[in-house]
Amino acid sequence: MIYGKLKKVNCVASHDMVGEKSSRISGFYRLEMEERLSKVADFSGLSEEEKNLFLKNGELSLAIDRSIADRMIENVIGIFELPLGIATNFRINGKDYLIPMAIEETSVVAAASNAARIARVRGGFTAWASEPLMIGQIQVLRIKDKEKALRSIQENKVKILELANAQDKVLVNLGGGAKDIEVRFLDDMMVLHLLVDVRDAMGANVVNTMCEAVAPMIEELTGGKVRLRIVSNLADKRLAGARAVFDKDAMGGEDVVNAFLEGYRFATLDPYRAATHNKGIMNGIDAVVIATGNDWRAIEAGAHSYAARTGKYQPLTKYWKDEDGNLVGEIELPIAIGTVGGASSLHRKAQICKKILGVKSAKELAEIIASVGLAQNFAALLALSTVGIQKGHMELHAQNIAVMAGAKGEQIDVIAQRMIEEGKIRLDRAKELMKELYG
Ligand code: NAD
């Protein structure tokens, strides 16, 4: 591993309550990679084999990954890796979590940990998630009599739901399944929404299967022609949210809270800013979604369409001051996430990431993801409205540039440090320094 200073220090895991696991691990970032992994393994009860999968990439783990990859997609030629980091300090609904994040961008994991540390001062995050209701859409064309078609669907609702539910007994036995039908008319077409409780699955396959199965019955009942039958990624009946109070003193005082709110207001007025604001939220959300083997394109599509649901693209977070002058932050968005099914059940490392989180349900995972989104956004806005975003990026960015100039091992820190001191973090300068110092 090339990044980060490899200085060994004593790492202290604090205990908020005697005997309870704490994610508040100070100095975690200064540990060597193996030591970090050991801390996480102790926290989450990982076996030696599970630990080895992350660091050793031994023959066995590669063999597993290869064969699974070859079955996951087509024309496989290899495996594309991303760094996996752990965000510390998260306390959500009174429980401590270490959060696995798979991401290539510098500073994201550190920023999330920092925000969670500040949120922790006032108890951490309070998170919630709705029932896991997904929407399947069935597009019906060439309907001659709209009223008659609508009546026919309403009168046969139970029959349609029964046929949908016959497709997935496992889901129905778990308390899930098709629950209701909504009908919309868009211009000359009728659009039927099949509302499916998908329990702990992301749900796209289940919903698509059900929509395809009921399509012939819908044609018969409406006299129309069914065209598309597919899940909607605007999963606005499957929302998750989180709230936290960020202590004004831990943030740096009242002036910082005011500066933060001024910065936030920009996003509420301008879609150019709101897009970047929401991108920052997705830095955190996608990283956890990827680490747990979930479909991040689905989450992205859901988030941005939800942000635009009023017709004006808006930030996914809200901030205000409480009566004591502390900052309150809240997030809400669709989170169609699974702890079973899809790649999350196939990918070995994704399974271990779920074990690190200790999640028991898709609902709990959605609550964690919402909290990480809020933390990430808070950290970015705090930096932006005070010192600026580049300061935090600087050290790792300088190290990246040093690596691009050919630096290896200790040379990376030396070159990076010189460039920071000179205020010239550029590839041409890194190359010059490489020549000067190492010939
Ligand atoms: P899936 O079909 O692999 O697994 C879901 C099934 O697992 C359920 O149908 C059920 O039979 C079973 N199951 C066992 N225990 C369960 C539990 N506790 N809760 C719920 N189900 C349980 O996966 P899926 O979640 O239906 O589909 C997800 C996949 O669909 C993802 O890989 C995604 O990329 C893909 N996909 C997405 C889109 C889209 O987002 N537009 C479209 C097509 C496919």
Side-chain angles (χ1 to χ4, degrees):
M1 180 62 189
I2 49 176
Y3 301 130
K5 293 216 168 76
L6 298 181
K7 260 186 235 142
K8 278 176 85 171
V9 293
N10 287 334
C11 171
V12 189
S14 70
H15 289 267
D16 291 356
M17 267 177 252
V18 177
E20 216 184 79
K21 286 193 298 187
S22 176
S23 64
R24 177 80 189 99
I25 310 177
S26 69
F28 186 74
Y29 69 100
R30 292 203 203 97
L31 296 178
E32 295 203 17
M33 208 185 291
E34 284 82 353
E35 291 173 313
R36 288 187 205 132
L37 183 59
S38 285
K39 291 262 168 221
V40 174
D42 288 347
F43 184 94
S44 313
L46 301 189
S47 67
E48 275 307 305
E49 190 251 333
E50 286 168 334
K51 273 168 67 180
N52 287 345
L53 213 53
F54 282 114
L55 275 188
K56 292 213 172 118
N57 244 353
E59 269 183 31
L60 178 66
S61 66
L62 260 182
I64 294 170
D65 284 352
R66 269 189 196 169
S67 69
I68 289 177
D70 209 14
R71 268 181 271 138
M72 268 181 171
I73 64 162
E74 309 75 34
N75 300 353
V76 173
I77 58 160
I79 294 156
F80 188 89
E81 298 272 11
L82 281 177
L84 181 73
I86 294 285
T88 55
N89 307 331
F90 273 84
R91 190 164 181 82
I92 303 166
N93 294 338
K95 185 175 163 191
D96 272 34
Y97 293 93
L98 291 177
I99 316 270
M101 301 177 84
I103 187 160
E104 84 298 346
E105 189 176 340
T106 51
S107 304
V108 170
V109 179
S113 306
N114 192 37
R117 185 182 53 78
I118 297 174
R120 210 180 163 84
V121 173
R122 291 192 170 262
F125 299 85
T126 305
W128 62 91
S130 67
E131 288 298 302
L133 265 194
M134 294 294 285
I135 300 168
Q137 296 196 292
I138 301 170
Q139 178 196 24
V140 198
L141 303 166
R142 299 189 206 113
I143 291 191
K144 294 209 178 76
D145 185 339
K146 284 186 184 176
E147 292 298 315
K148 205 171 147 204
L150 178 61
R151 223 172 20 240
S152 178
I153 295 290
Q154 283 165 342
E155 283 165 3
N156 290 282
K157 188 168 110 175
V158 174
K159 250 172 67 181
I160 302 168
L161 294 177
E162 274 172 5
L163 179 58
N165 284 328
Q167 313 307 310
D168 200 330
K169 291 286 167 218
V170 175
L171 189 62
V172 173
N173 287 339
L174 289 165
K179 300 290 183 190
D180 206 354
I181 291 168
E182 287 175 352
V183 177
R184 300 161 62 218
F185 287 97
L186 303 175
D187 200 6
D188 62 336
M189 70 178 74
M190 178 181 185
V191 179
L192 202 135
H193 281 190
L194 191 63
L195 308 185
V196 186
D197 180 327
V198 296
R199 299 282 88 200
D200 293 313
M202 182 267 175
N205 279 329
V206 193
V207 170
N208 293 346
T209 305
M210 288 182 175
C211 288
E212 290 190 4
V214 300
M217 185 186 271
I218 304 300
E219 287 189 336
E220 219 175 276
L221 292 172
T222 60
K225 169 75 193 155
V226 168
R227 191 62 69 198
L228 305 191
R229 299 141 294 165
I230 181 83
V231 72
S232 170
N233 289 110
L234 176 50
D236 62 359
K237 294 188 187 296
R238 196 181 188 182
L239 299 174
R243 179 190 279 214
V245 178
F246 299 97
D247 185 87
K248 67 169 186 285
D249 296 326
M251 280 178 70
E254 207 178 328
D255 288 350
V256 177
V257 175
N258 291 337
F260 186 105
L261 287 169
E262 282 168 356
Y264 164 64
R265 195 163 154 260
F266 186 6
T268 65
L269 297 173
D270 180 16
Y272 289 93
R273 170 62 206 140
T276 323
H277 178 102
N278 289 341
K279 189 274 180 184
I281 292 173
M282 302 316 285
N283 276 343
I285 288 184
D286 284 343
V288 186
V289 170
I290 293 170
T292 54
N294 273 286
D295 183 338
W296 69 95
R297 289 87 52 210
I299 298 287
E300 283 280 344
H304 296 292
S305 53
Y306 191 68
R309 69 195 180 283
T310 59
K312 183 182 172 208
Y313 188 86
Q314 286 283 306
L316 289 163
T317 47
K318 288 193 172 78
Y319 292 96
W320 63 94
K321 248 196 275 189
D322 70 8
E323 52 204 25
D324 301 322
N326 300 305
L327 182 79
V328 188
E330 193 173 275
I331 188 169
E332 184 186 72
L333 75 163
I335 299 190
I337 199 92
T339 49
V340 299
S344 76
S345 290
L346 293 173
H347 197 291
R348 190 80 176 92
K349 288 179 189 168
Q351 285 174 329
I352 301 174
C353 285
K354 282 185 282 180
K355 187 167 173 183
I356 292 171
L357 284 168
V359 281
K360 301 276 179 291
S361 64
K363 180 178 183 296
E364 188 183 358
L365 182 54
E367 291 169 349
I368 293 170
I369 289 171
S371 304
V372 175
L374 176 59
Q376 208 67 59
N377 182 236
F378 166 81
L381 259 181
L382 183 60
L384 276 171
S385 52
T386 54
V387 293
I389 206 82
Q390 285 307 89
K391 192 170 182 287
H393 274 299
M394 205 72 87
E395 196 165 322
L396 285 177
H397 178 60
Q399 289 178 5
N400 281 337
I401 299 285
V403 172
M404 281 164 68
K408 291 198 173 58
E410 285 182 356
Q411 296 172 347
I412 299 167
D413 273 344
V414 174
I415 301 286
Q417 205 48 47
R418 278 285 294 268
M419 288 195 295
I420 290 170
E421 281 162 15
E422 292 174 2
K424 285 186 201 159
I425 303 174
R426 297 192 318 253
L427 186 57
D428 58 333
R429 183 60 189 143
K431 283 183 175 161
E432 276 170 20
L433 285 169
M434 278 298 286
K435 256 199 203 133
E436 252 176 54
L437 298 175
Y438 303 106

